[in-house]
Amino acid sequence: MPDKENNKIKLYKKMFEVMKAVEHIEKTTHIKYKSTDYKATAEEKITPIFRKEFLKNKLMVFPVEQVSLKSNGITRIDVKYKIVDTETGECEILASSGEGADTQDKGAGKAMTYAYKYMLLRTFMSPTYEDPDNTSSQELDDKNIGKSNGRNDKDIKDLLDLAFTSDKTKKAFLDSFKGNDKELKEVLNKRVKKEVGV
């Protein structure tokens, strides 16, 4: 068997050892502010667990390519990471995305943290025992709009559906918006026109 193929198998075996060691990570951080209320898995909890296993298996992971886009206080980042077996130099590319809502200068950092956390959790199949698919998109939309300063206007909901594809992005946008309903409609109308190329 050629060395290259041998090295790839060694890398995958090491990744498998990490997967076996990190069985699950529970969501223990409770985020609550105004209409925001959810459980999360904190980065400071995830990184040490994986770091210990990476050191044990002589693996490294780091970003090698990143594309970001900021729109209406939401920063989206698409990242490619490289996981490397330090004993053979063999590597594999891992991809992830993250979004961060922040009207100041923290959006990119939040998006990068989110992308990194979920790259680790999904690559190594580490469940958090909370499945977002158990709640329908419609239910999330209705909850989020109802929580955002009492807004339940159908026009706003329809505009949100057109302007954002992700429930998380819709919620983050509503949570970060500080204006009144008229301004909200204007902002959403502009975003929809931009999305559909009008």
Side-chain angles (χ1 to χ4, degrees), residues 71-99:
S71 177
N72 294 322
I74 308 288
T75 303
R76 177 187 169 87
I77 291 185
D78 296 312
V79 191
K80 286 184 182 174
Y81 295 91
K82 186 179 279 191
I83 187 164
V84 180
D85 181 345
T86 61
E87 293 183 306
T88 66
E90 189 60 48
C91 64
E92 189 65 76
I93 298 295
L94 310 171
S96 187
S97 296
E99 292 181 345

Side-chain angles (χ1 to χ4, degrees), residues 113-156:
T113 298
Y114 189 91
Y116 183 69
K117 282 195 312 187
Y118 281 91
M119 176 273 296
L120 292 171
L121 292 171
R122 297 301 164 246
T123 300
F124 296 97
M125 297 193 294
S126 302
T128 57
Y129 296 121
E130 189 171 301
D131 189 350
D133 292 334
N134 285 338
T135 307
S136 73
S137 296
Q138 186 63 50
E139 184 181 342
L140 286 171
D141 287 349
D142 292 345
K143 273 187 194 173
N144 292 341
I145 289 171
K147 282 181 177 179
S148 298
N149 301 325
R151 296 184 183 112
N152 56 12
D153 188 289
K154 186 180 180 322
D155 291 344
I156 291 176

Side-chain angles (χ1 to χ4, degrees), residues 12-111:
Y12 291 157
K13 281 183 176 177
K14 289 183 176 193
M15 290 175 73
F16 181 69
E17 289 303 314
V18 174
M19 191 182 295
K20 280 198 309 186
V22 186
E23 290 183 25
H24 76 277
I25 298 175
E26 290 184 39
K27 291 188 171 189
T28 55
T29 303
H30 189 192
I31 311 296
K32 188 170 174 120
Y33 179 73
K34 293 185 181 178
S35 64
T36 302
D37 188 3
Y38 62 94
K39 280 182 138 182
T41 307
E43 184 272 337
E44 67 262 14
K45 181 172 182 181
I46 293 173
T47 300
I49 292 169
F50 280 101
R51 185 176 192 278
K52 177 182 168 190
E53 296 307 318
F54 280 19
L55 287 169
K56 189 189 298 182
N57 289 283
K58 299 183 179 172
L59 294 171
M60 290 175 56
V61 66
F62 50 89
V64 291
E65 187 179 319
Q66 180 174 298
V67 177
S68 66
L69 171 70
K70 186 168 184 171
S71 177
N72 294 322
I74 308 288
T75 303
R76 177 187 169 87
I77 291 185
D78 296 312
V79 191
K80 286 184 182 174
Y81 295 91
K82 186 179 279 191
I83 187 164
V84 180
D85 181 345
T86 61
E87 293 183 306
T88 66
E90 189 60 48
C91 64
E92 189 65 76
I93 298 295
L94 310 171
S96 187
S97 296
E99 292 181 345
D102 195 286
T103 54
Q104 305 301 313
D105 62 348
K106 306 279 189 304
K110 289 177 180 179

